[in-house]
Amino acid sequence: MQSPPQPTAAHAIETVFRMEFPRVVAVVTRVVRDVGIAEELAQDALVAALEQWPHSGVPDHPGAWLTTIARRRAVDLVRRRETYARKLQEIGRDLEDVPPPQEPAAPDDIDDDLLRLVFTTCHPVLSPEARTALTLRLLGGLTTPEIARAFLVPEPTVAQRIVRAKRTLATKNVAFEVPYGPDREARLGSVLDVIYLIFNEGYAATAGDDLLRPALCEDALRLARQLAALMPKEPEVHGLVSLLEFQASRTAARTAPDGTPVLLEDQNRRRWNRMLIARGITALDRAGAAATGAPGPYALQAAIAACHAHAHTYGDTDWTAIARLYGLLAARAPSPVVELNRAVAVSMAEGPGPALRIVDALAAEPALRDYHLLPSVRGDLLLRLGRTAQARAEFERAAELTGNTRERELLRARAARCGDS
């Protein structure tokens, strides 16, 4: 019997680089004070790995290796350019003697440079769209097509945002730092949004052969926990941590052994991580204790996730409470996606008929035109109403829209079952 094909060295290097890319960029940015140049130097380190690792083998600490190579080239660049002479003096002449940063040893331990990079790329000189796109690129390691799908916008738009954002940070000489006081508060909303989007890309990948990208979820959760330690009096920070803890608790149950997605109603809840659920409850309590007014969007989403976590079975879920919370969320942070999620909750609390009216009202939303979950939800509602032919068409359309192979297979299987029925 033939042994399964082994991954190529180039594929292994690409996987390692994608995992380590944000940390390499963060460390190098501290040296050159320019995220665009730092990204180029990180790419140079990848080229060096592609040249050397196939012959020498992958080093024991590949992240440290990549960081060292990129950092040495950054020091060389600083020394070569006269315009960087002053910065070189500020940084010190012993850069080469400073050992590379150690990789995080514990789930809650994360490099300060990563937080600096998040706050730098979320600077107010950038538009909200540019902040999020650039941070997803540098912190999440997402490609331009992946970011475009996350934003539901064309790829050229995202590419332009990233290029302009890096240019703006350079021309405005934005400091590479974690700000304090009002400056920190001004950037907090963008930082939370970015961490959430990074987690979401790992939780349900927009493209590729796998539904999950666990490394992205772990990085986002570490960032959120570190931010909560940095800003313990901010209720929305704790709300985001709570939401991500609850979501991460379901990871092991979301796919079958062969990688096939498992719908929420079919998940084995004994596989949900009770420790993460407990952490989510604690963070949600902290959000409530720190709040001085109505709960914010992330606290509301965490409360919704808590409803699922408290239900021992799918049938025990308090859908009425979830629908009510989605109503509050839609009032606090209105968006077509929130309204689509509210429709799902309404369908379980009141029936598919009222929910279908909500979904049909979203059909004209430009942001949802290529969003595969819209026809997927509509197909589920039509199926429950007995309109199987229409349901099948919706599932087939959803399968065409998704860029994720696993989701496409699941949707086509659902469409086929409509034909069988």
Side-chain angles (χ1 to χ4, degrees):
M1 187 172 80
Q2 278 189 329
S3 59
Q6 299 298 312
T8 64
H11 179 73
I13 294 169
E14 181 183 352
T15 301
V16 169
F17 181 74
R18 185 150 190 163
M19 294 171 59
E20 300 295 339
F21 176 74
R23 196 166 288 108
V24 175
V25 172
V27 171
V28 175
T29 301
R30 175 155 49 90
V31 177
V32 298
R33 298 297 198 271
D34 186 308
V35 294
I37 294 174
E39 185 180 9
E40 293 175 6
L41 293 171
Q43 297 286 351
D44 287 346
L46 171 63
V47 173
L50 288 169
E51 292 173 349
Q52 298 180 37
W53 291 3
H55 307 290
S56 62
V58 178
D60 292 336
H61 302 287
W65 190 98
L66 289 167
T67 300
T68 298
I69 295 298
R71 192 170 168 282
R72 285 176 181 169
R73 297 191 178 187
V75 172
D76 291 341
L77 178 63
V78 169
R79 286 177 171 165
R80 283 200 308 268
R81 296 189 177 184
E82 291 182 359
T83 55
Y84 284 96
R86 179 179 57 81
K87 293 182 180 180
L88 181 60
Q89 292 176 359
E90 294 173 357
I91 297 168
R93 298 184 179 280
D94 58 345
L95 285 169
E96 291 183 332
D97 298 327
V98 178
Q102 296 296 315
E103 298 179 15
D108 290 334
D109 183 19
I110 190 167
D111 238 327
D112 285 343
D113 286 330
L114 284 175
L115 271 178
R116 291 190 185 99
L117 185 58
V118 173
F119 275 98
T120 299
T121 55
C122 290
H123 197 281
V125 297
L126 304 177
S127 69
E129 295 82 5
R131 296 174 209 166
T132 308
L134 180 61
T135 311
L136 285 172
R137 173 75 189 105
L138 298 182
L139 265 294
L142 273 64
T143 64
T144 298
E146 289 169 342
I147 298 171
R149 291 189 65 85
F151 276 129
L152 305 177
V153 296
E155 290 181 29
T157 301
V158 172
Q160 290 173 2
R161 287 176 184 172
I162 293 172
V163 170
R164 290 171 183 168
K166 289 189 287 190
R167 186 185 303 130
T168 299
L169 291 177
T171 56
K172 297 290 185 180
N173 292 320
V174 171
F176 183 60
E177 63 182 6
V178 176
Y180 294 90
D183 288 342
R184 180 187 292 175
E185 295 174 6
R187 302 189 210 178
L188 181 59
S190 290
V191 171
L192 296 179
D193 291 345
V194 164
I195 293 174
Y196 181 56
L197 283 172
I198 292 174
F199 182 91
N200 268 356
E201 180 58 31
Y203 191 72
T206 55
D209 296 332
D210 299 315
L211 178 70
L212 304 176
R213 295 173 60 185
L216 285 183
C217 292
E218 291 167 6
D219 280 345
L221 192 48
R222 288 176 189 145
L223 282 169
R225 289 171 178 168
Q226 184 74 3
L227 198 60
L230 190 68
M231 308 178 73
K233 296 182 180 180
E234 289 290 341
E236 274 294 80
V237 175
H238 294 298
L240 176 64
V241 172
S242 175
L243 174 62
L244 300 193
E245 301 278 15
F246 283 132
Q247 298 290 74
S249 72
R250 305 180 204 163
T251 300
R254 294 188 65 240
T255 55
D258 63 355
T260 302
V262 179
L263 298 175
L264 179 62
E265 61 190 275
D266 299 323
Q267 289 177 16
N268 179 357
R269 300 194 175 207
R270 287 175 295 181
R271 300 190 67 198
W272 287 9
N273 189 312
R274 307 312 300 183
M275 182 192 72
L276 292 179
I277 289 175
R279 295 187 66 142
I281 293 171
T282 299
L284 187 57
D285 289 342
R286 288 174 179 162
T292 56
Y298 286 113
L300 286 169
Q301 291 180 74
I304 292 169
C307 290
H308 291 294
H310 287 306
H312 294 293
T313 67
Y314 186 75
D316 293 335
T317 307
D318 189 347
W319 289 106
T320 300
I322 292 176
R324 179 181 57 82
L325 288 167
Y326 267 121
L328 295 174
L329 180 61
R332 183 70 187 269
S335 82
V337 174
V338 169
E339 195 66 5
L340 183 62
N341 288 331
R342 187 175 76 87
V344 174
V346 168
S347 76
M348 300 304 297
E350 303 176 21
L356 185 60
R357 289 193 288 273
I358 298 173
V359 172
D360 286 345
L362 295 171
E365 286 286 346
L368 298 183
R369 182 178 55 191
D370 297 323
Y371 189 48
H372 72 283
L373 291 182
L374 178 64
S376 175
V377 170
R378 192 168 189 274
D380 183 68
L381 297 176
L382 290 168
L383 183 62
R384 288 168 58 190
L385 289 168
R387 295 156 62 177
T388 54
Q390 291 172 286
R392 175 171 184 155
E394 292 294 329
F395 287 135
E396 289 174 344
R397 179 168 177 267
E400 293 173 0
L401 290 175
T402 183
N404 186 278
T405 303
R406 294 295 187 177
E407 279 193 311
R408 186 180 304 114
E409 292 171 351
L410 174 65
L411 289 163
R412 284 176 176 167
R414 296 197 73 188
R417 287 198 294 273
C418 290
D420 294 340
S421 63

